[in-house]
Amino acid sequence: MAEAIVSFVLQRVGDFTTQEAKFLSGVSHQVEVSQTELQLMQRFLKDADARQGEDARVQIWVAKIRDAAYDLEDVIETYGLKVASKKKTGMKNVLKRFACIFKERVDLRKIGAEIENIIAKISNLRMSLQSYNIVRETREIGGASSLQSFERQQQLRRTYSHVIERDVVGIEDNVKEIVTHLVKEESCLRVVSIWGMGGAGKTTLAKQIYHHKEEQREEIAKMRDYEIAKKLFRVQQGKRCLVILDDIWSIETFNSLKAAFPLTCEETQSRILLTTRNEAVALHADRNGFLHQPQALNEIKSWELFEKIALLGRVDKDSGVYIKMKELGMEMLRHCAGLPLAITVLAGVLARKNTVNEWITVHANVYVYIRRGIGPEEEYAGASWVLALSYDDLPYHLKPCLLYLGHFPEDFEIPVKRLTQLWMAEGLVSLTQGQGLGEAMEDIAYHCLSELMIRCVVQVGETGSIGTIKTCRIHDLVRDLCLSKAEEENFLQVVNSSQRNEAISPFSSSMVTKAAPLGKVRRLAIYLNENADKLVPSRYEKDDHLRSLLYFGLKEWRRQCKRLILTMFKDFKLLRVLKVEGMNREAELPSEIGNMVHLRFLSLRGSNIKRIPASLGNLICLQTLDLRVEDSWLFIPNVIWKMKHIRHLYLPFFYRLRLSGKLKISTLHNLQTLYPVSSSNCDLNDLTGLTNLRKLSITLSSPLENLEEILKSTGSTLNHIRSLFVYTDLAVTGSTEQVTQIVSSCRHIYKLKLEGPTAELPRELHCFPNLTKLTLRRFFLKDDQMGIIEKLPNLTTLRLEQNTFNEDAKILVFSKGGFPHLQFLSLFHMSEVKEWRVQEGAMPSLRRLSIKYCNGLTTIVDGLRYLTTLRELSIEGMSSTFQSKLKAGGEDFHKIQHVTSLVFG
């Protein structure tokens, strides 16, 4: 991954020198020479990355060049920021000014010498490579070493149609579905694709279809390459054939083969069955083709496959040994998460273990056995090398993005917005990766995540009202791979406080000897629990090269930390990322936080922080600042205006300024998220120049004077808002009119949340072309307002929460023809509603329904039986009588028997 690191450093140093050129004038020559040296080094890096596992010398060299690149960036940026800070501070005293000039000259010589030392180190590394022929230049070999390594791995994965797998479970319905599409004569469908992650069973499924009794096959004699395309083309024109293209990795590979296949229905009735890990390949092969993605096996099917390999015929099912083995097996299967490859590997290992004690040994080291299997020469080789093929095939700029997911704990639902903010702060995405046309960094980061999903190494979690991905996750074995690769590359260290030895590998066990990392530790993810005695393990306390520090599990930490938090971070002056969320114990943010001038991301969300120092204003590089702490009415210094690079600003819901006046934000021209801006603490006219703002939260804590003039001056900003949240205090008079005016000025919003007594919605809301999500809470609407809501033409998500309607609106009616595109409906704490009616023809597209703590309802609405599209019904906090009626045999079961998933909380 050295290629990626050096490329990112080159990009960031280039960007920094362009933006801050006036502050680097004294060392500009050295900076330019260093960039040239890194560019020369790039020619060797692709080959070096490919050969790390083959040659220990290359691995050591890669670690050194990686550290040198990071050190160069640190030195240049630290000097530039220091000079910029002094220029802005100024000096009134003449003697102090002369002393400062003398010190600056000393610093300049020192920084210049540091850069020259790094240049010499890089140059020496490059020359040693050439002298000893350790690696070759990419331009000379065209990436041949990397290609040869990949081809060797591909040969190990080669499959043959005559070899039929005997252990196949849970794909019968998939076979029938795909065969139906393949043999359908009237269809113009040309290509059927099976797309999924490594080990999902794509090839197994393709083989089962190939040997299906309804299929026709034509053998093609061995020929020279130039004859194959012509022969295959003619055979497919004359006969109805099935051609299987297994494991196609890239569009380029498919294009090199397509000359052999008629690709239109007019030319042939033959069909192509293609398997791939890359969705883009499947879509390129046939935009109108059928795309099948194998799903993970459920618990029952997982056990069936596992038992078939590991236990069938070996142990009496009535014996105590079988019972204990099944207990252990079921626990181990959880780590496979339904992935057929992982289940097969694990079962293959256990098939050779005859005693319960041997099974217990495997249980204690289950990840290691799944990764390694029995051995590559055996039938049940490990899963890790199969998944590693997907990693090796990634473009270099996506590899660190994937490895970064190793920060997050197992089975963690990763918020996409937070992930993209972290990627940006770490410099893992840049504008040069975009497609032009003014793309924002957030859009580029989202595209990177989408690419990882297309390649089946990241899974989609929750999706939003307009189809955007809200959360993502990774399979346990992919996380296992990320941590393994991250450790090899010294990209990331995970520290688990539940382990005695402070810093561990995810694979640390009696079977694994953990080598010391090559190079400096740059990123730490720390998992805390109530037993942790300190926030930072001793071995890392003085690590002044640390760039990223993310905490998980702080809610469980019980240590006293009034002055402890961050006081030990005084040496971490190069941190780019600091995430300290959910700390329950009272703590203060010390003034030393101002020394961390490199910070791009700082989140204290959910922590019990009592004080924010004025030195926070020194953090001029911040892109994301999250101060949504637990303490209400937190005092905040009026220094945020200095953070001119900030893009996402999250303030406490209630806050006060340390000094009188209004919070200054008019200088924050890059701001995209502002949460919240208060009418009592901020001059809303400051929004005028924030034309990049996309997500806005406004708190009406006092009546706004001259609101019409404010809205007129901020019109261009409000016109770009995509997500709007307006909170109204109970004591604010005239709130209905002011809320209506604000909402009416944001006509292009996709999401709208309104909280507080308003009574009426804007009448023109149905004219908002993009509005897809609406949340109403403590709104106390009149009962006639439902007529406005149900006529919103593009609404897909509706959340009605806690006193959405006033006490007179006891009957909630969804009329015929209302909510034509609604897909998700949530009713939460709607105690004011005593009866709910859904007329036939209402909500014809509803797929998910959630009813929680609506204690006024005694029975489920009869109209649910009309909602044939409903797939998921979630019930929580309702009476036992309400719930029992919905279960099989209950008096209301007939209303929801067509619903696929019924969940009781």
Side-chain angles (χ1 to χ4, degrees):
M1 201 174 61
E3 182 184 17
I5 299 301
V6 169
S7 296
F8 289 144
V9 168
L10 270 171
Q11 178 64 43
R12 291 194 294 265
V13 170
D15 291 345
F16 186 79
T17 52
T18 300
Q19 296 166 8
E20 311 292 347
K22 59 185 176 181
F23 302 129
L24 295 172
S25 56
V27 292
S28 58
H29 174 68
Q30 290 96 325
V31 172
E32 187 176 323
V33 173
S34 68
Q35 289 175 286
T36 301
E37 276 295 336
L38 285 179
Q39 288 166 349
L40 292 171
M41 184 65 78
Q42 275 185 304
R43 301 192 319 223
F44 299 91
L45 294 179
K46 188 181 293 293
D47 187 39
D49 279 338
R51 294 184 56 195
Q52 279 196 82
E54 304 170 7
D55 191 329
R57 295 177 304 167
V58 176
Q59 191 173 14
I60 294 169
W61 176 83
V62 166
K64 287 184 177 181
I65 188 60
R66 185 175 58 229
D67 280 342
Y70 276 136
D71 289 345
L72 178 66
E73 182 186 11
D74 292 340
V75 169
I76 292 173
E77 190 172 287
T78 299
Y79 174 73
L81 290 174
K82 184 185 290 186
V83 174
S85 175
K86 288 179 180 177
K87 297 283 187 184
K88 292 175 182 177
T89 303
M91 288 288 181
K92 293 183 179 179
N93 187 291
V94 175
L95 290 176
K96 286 184 178 180
R97 178 62 180 156
F98 278 119
C100 182
I101 291 172
F102 177 75
K103 188 175 185 303
E104 281 182 7
R105 288 177 178 172
V106 173
D107 286 346
L108 192 62
R109 286 197 292 270
K110 181 181 177 183
I111 297 299
E114 286 187 42
I115 296 175
E116 287 172 356
N117 285 338
I118 296 172
I119 292 171
K121 185 186 298 184
I122 297 172
S123 179
N124 289 336
L125 282 168
R126 178 170 55 83
M127 287 189 289
S128 67
L129 292 175
Q130 291 172 310
S131 300
Y132 295 101
N133 196 28
I134 296 176
V135 297
R136 292 166 290 178
E137 293 184 68
T138 300
R139 68 175 186 179
E140 294 176 359
I141 59 173
S145 176
S146 173
L147 182 61
Q148 289 167 2
S149 175
F150 186 75
E151 286 177 345
R152 285 197 300 272
Q153 293 172 323
Q154 287 290 77
Q155 287 172 357
L156 291 173
R157 289 278 293 160
R158 184 172 293 169
T159 59
Y160 301 93
S161 61
H162 67 278
V163 179
I164 303 175
E165 297 177 41
R166 64 182 185 275
D167 302 315
V168 177
V169 167
I171 64 173
E172 297 84 0
D173 292 340
N174 295 335
V175 171
K176 292 178 182 177
E177 180 187 28
I178 294 173
V179 168
T180 299
H181 286 281
L182 288 169
V183 301
K184 195 182 296 181
E185 294 189 9
E186 68 276 9
S187 171
C188 191
L189 177 144
R190 182 71 182 95
V191 179
V192 171
S193 298
I194 305 173
W195 160 65
M197 71 179 289
K202 302 180 296 296
T203 300
T204 299
L205 181 54
K207 280 187 179 181
Q208 295 297 310
I209 294 165
Y210 181 83
H211 290 284
H212 195 277
K213 61 185 178 181
E214 293 187 40
E215 289 307 309
Q216 299 175 4
R217 299 185 299 276
E218 183 70 23
E219 293 185 3
I220 301 176
K222 290 184 179 180
M223 317 172 207
R224 287 173 293 181
D225 287 350
Y226 73 90
E227 297 176 311
I228 291 178
K230 184 176 180 181
K231 178 67 175 177
L232 283 178
F233 194 99
R234 289 180 175 175
V235 167
Q236 292 170 82
Q237 279 186 317
K239 297 185 178 182
R240 196 159 191 257
C241 304
L242 170 64
V243 179
I244 295 182
L245 300 178
D246 186 32
D247 216 14
I248 304 299
W249 283 75
S250 67
I251 291 173
E252 292 75 18
T253 301
F254 180 83
N255 285 342
S256 70
L257 299 172
K258 70 179 183 180
F261 308 111
L263 293 177
T264 66
C265 295
E266 290 76 15
E267 293 177 303
T268 183
Q269 288 189 328
S270 294
R271 298 288 184 265
I272 296 174
L273 179 60
L274 178 149
T275 73
T276 182
R277 301 188 190 193
N278 191 336
E279 185 187 24
V281 173
L283 295 175
H284 175 77
D286 188 349
R287 279 280 167 187
N288 300 314
F290 176 72
L291 185 58
H292 175 82
Q293 185 175 17
Q295 301 300 305
L297 298 179
N298 61 27
E299 186 176 299
I300 295 173
K301 292 296 183 182
S302 293
W303 174 254
E304 185 180 340
L305 176 58
F306 176 87
E307 183 185 40
K308 193 172 185 181
I309 299 170
L311 288 171
L312 195 61
R314 297 178 59 223
V315 183
D316 183 357
K317 288 191 175 184
D318 295 325
S319 68
V321 171
Y322 178 88
I323 293 171
K324 182 60 179 176
M325 285 182 170
K326 182 172 183 179
E327 177 187 332
L328 291 167
M330 292 295 286
E331 289 179 8
M332 288 186 277
L333 277 175
R334 290 205 302 269
H335 297 286
C336 299
L339 187 69
L341 172 65
I343 297 169
T344 302
V345 169
L346 179 61
V349 169
L350 291 166
R352 301 189 177 195
K353 309 297 181 183
N354 299 315
T355 68
V356 170
N357 285 337
E358 287 179 304
W359 279 52
I360 290 173
T361 300
V362 176
H363 179 274
N365 304 282
V366 60
Y367 268 132
V368 177
Y369 280 104
I370 293 173
R371 280 199 311 127
R372 293 182 174 178
I374 300 170
E377 74 286 352
E378 301 279 356
E379 181 179 3
Y380 298 108
S384 61
W385 74 276
V386 176
L387 296 176
L389 287 174
S390 293
Y391 173 80
D392 294 338
D393 188 56
L394 289 175
Y396 75 84
H397 69 278
L398 289 181
K399 289 181 178 179
C401 293
L402 177 61
L403 297 193
Y404 203 85
L405 298 179
H407 278 88
F408 299 93
E410 190 174 308
D411 300 324
F412 195 86
E413 283 285 319
I414 304 169
V416 167
K417 191 173 185 67
R418 184 49 47 100
L419 176 63
T420 56
Q421 290 168 353
L422 290 168
W423 279 352
M424 291 190 304
E426 292 272 11
L428 302 184
V429 292
S430 69
L431 292 175
T432 58
Q433 296 166 224
Q435 305 298 317
L437 303 177
E439 274 190 302
M441 288 256 284
E442 288 77 5
D443 297 328
I444 296 169
Y446 187 86
H447 291 160
C448 289
L449 180 61
S450 298
E451 180 71 13
L452 291 173
M453 290 175 172
I454 286 171
R455 292 170 176 267
C456 287
V457 289
V458 177
Q459 300 170 346
V460 176
E462 179 187 350
T463 56
S465 58
I466 57 174
T468 54
I469 302 164
K470 307 291 287 185
T471 65
C472 66
R473 56 181 176 268
I474 52 176
H475 191 283
D476 289 351
L477 290 180
V478 175
R479 180 176 180 269
D480 185 34
L481 172 69
C482 288
L483 291 174
S484 175
K485 290 289 185 182
E487 189 172 38
E488 288 175 14
E489 300 279 357
N490 201 26
F491 180 81
L492 162 69
Q493 293 287 313
V494 174
V495 179
N496 195 331
S497 63
S498 65
Q499 302 290 326
R500 285 282 184 186
N501 58 338
E502 287 191 333
I504 65 162
S505 161
F507 324 116
S508 60
S509 68
S510 59
M511 295 183 61
V512 179
T513 301
K514 184 182 176 187
L518 289 172
K520 302 165 185 173
V521 174
R522 304 282 177 173
R523 297 176 182 85
L524 277 182
I526 299 181
Y527 302 167
L528 290 172
N529 63 16
E530 68 277 3
N531 299 320
D533 59 351
K534 52 173 59 179
L535 280 174
V536 180
S538 303
R539 63 181 293 188
Y540 299 112
E541 280 183 342
K542 301 296 182 180
D543 198 332
D544 59 356
H545 291 90
L546 204 62
R547 285 171 164 244
S548 175
L549 185 56
L550 276 68
Y551 283 99
F552 298 91
L554 274 169
K555 285 186 178 180
E556 285 71 44
W557 201 53
R558 296 290 180 261
R559 301 284 177 176
Q560 292 293 334
C561 55
K562 255 193 172 181
R563 285 287 300 174
L564 181 62
I565 181 176
L566 294 184
T567 54
M568 75 288 290
F569 299 156
K570 60 182 182 223
D571 293 318
F572 298 164
K573 294 179 181 178
L574 297 178
L575 274 182
R576 264 76 168 165
V577 168
L578 179 58
K579 174 181 170 290
V580 187
E581 297 180 348
M583 180 180 285
N584 286 327
R585 293 292 183 176
E586 181 179 324
E588 293 183 358
L589 194 67
S591 59
E592 288 86 350
I593 187 70
N595 296 330
M596 300 182 184
V597 294
H598 295 271
L599 273 178
R600 268 76 167 171
F601 177 97
L602 173 61
S603 178
L604 307 174
R605 184 175 184 178
S607 291
N608 194 359
I609 303 295
K610 298 295 184 183
R611 173 179 174 269
I612 304 293
S615 62
L616 190 76
N618 295 346
L619 310 183
I620 59 174
C621 292
L622 272 178
Q623 298 171 350
T624 299
L625 175 61
D626 196 336
L627 298 178
R628 290 176 286 182
V629 300
E630 283 294 298
D631 188 25
S632 58
W633 296 114
L634 179 73
F635 281 93
I636 295 179
N638 199 351
V639 295
I640 292 175
W641 62 272
K642 299 178 182 180
M643 306 171 186
K644 296 180 181 179
H645 294 286
I646 200 163
R647 306 170 75 89
H648 305 283
L649 175 60
Y650 305 91
L651 298 169
F653 203 74
F654 300 105
Y655 61 90
R656 296 172 182 168
L657 296 178
R658 192 168 292 280
L659 300 175
S660 60
K662 301 282 189 178
L663 183 70
K664 300 176 184 177
I665 58 172
S666 60
T667 58
L668 310 181
H669 300 299
N670 292 303
L671 202 61
Q672 294 190 17
T673 303
L674 178 55
Y675 180 101
V677 56
S678 169
S679 59
S680 59
N681 288 335
C682 184
D683 184 354
L684 294 187
N685 282 305
D686 280 359
L687 298 177
T688 300
L690 310 186
T691 55
N692 287 306
L693 200 59
R694 297 295 178 266
K695 185 174 184 178
L696 175 64
S697 173
I698 297 177
T699 299
L700 293 179
S701 52
S702 59
L704 283 167
E705 298 179 2
N706 305 319
L707 179 59
E708 289 186 9
E709 293 181 13
I710 293 174
L711 295 177
K712 185 176 180 180
S713 68
T714 60
S716 61
T717 297
L718 298 179
N719 199 42
H720 289 92
I721 298 297
R722 297 294 178 262
S723 177
L724 177 66
F725 173 27
V726 182
Y727 172 84
T728 311
D729 193 280
L730 287 168
V732 177
T733 56
S735 59
T736 297
E737 182 180 351
Q738 295 210 330
V739 169
T740 298
Q741 287 179 282
I742 293 171
V743 173
S744 298
S745 299
C746 305
R747 302 183 70 88
H748 292 93
I749 51 176
Y750 288 84
K751 303 175 185 178
L752 175 62
K753 181 177 181 180
L754 302 173
E755 181 173 353
T758 304
E760 292 184 359
L761 290 164
R763 291 287 172 182
E764 66 271 24
L765 203 61
H766 69 278
C767 297
F768 284 34
N770 303 320
L771 186 59
T772 58
K773 181 178 181 179
L774 176 64
T775 302
L776 302 175
R777 179 181 173 88
R778 297 195 307 115
F779 217 57
F780 300 100
L781 285 173
K782 300 175 183 177
D783 56 2
D784 63 348
Q785 295 295 293
M786 182 56 78
I788 294 177
I789 301 174
E790 66 182 4
K791 288 183 174 63
L792 296 176
N794 298 309
L795 197 67
T796 60
T797 300
L798 176 63
R799 297 179 182 271
L800 304 178
E801 304 177 352
Q802 194 179 356
N803 301 115
T804 295
F805 296 92
N806 61 31
E807 294 182 355
D808 295 331
K810 296 182 178 180
I811 301 177
L812 188 62
V813 179
F814 285 39
S815 306
K816 179 180 181 180
F819 300 107
H821 296 106
L822 194 67
Q823 296 180 19
F824 174 63
L825 171 65
S826 172
L827 306 179
F828 179 73
H829 271 293
M830 297 277 288
S831 56
E832 72 273 19
V833 176
K834 308 303 179 186
E835 183 181 350
W836 181 26
R837 299 173 187 169
V838 175
Q839 297 178 359
E840 186 173 5
M843 301 186 290
S845 303
L846 194 70
R847 298 183 61 83
R848 297 165 54 210
L849 171 62
S850 174
I851 304 174
K852 298 181 179 180
Y853 301 98
C854 296
N855 299 321
L857 297 177
T858 58
T859 186
I860 198 72
V861 60
D862 182 68
L864 288 193
R865 58 194 176 93
Y866 304 130
L867 306 181
T868 57
T869 59
L870 188 62
R871 293 292 176 265
E872 181 182 320
L873 174 58
S874 177
I875 306 293
E876 184 177 334
M878 303 298 287
S879 67
S880 56
T881 302
F882 184 98
Q883 296 188 35
S884 63
K885 291 179 181 178
L886 294 175
K887 295 177 180 177
E891 62 182 87
D892 287 339
F893 180 71
H894 69 282
K895 302 176 184 178
I896 54 96
Q897 62 183 349
H898 60 287
V899 179
T900 307
S901 174
L902 177 61
V903 179
F904 293 102

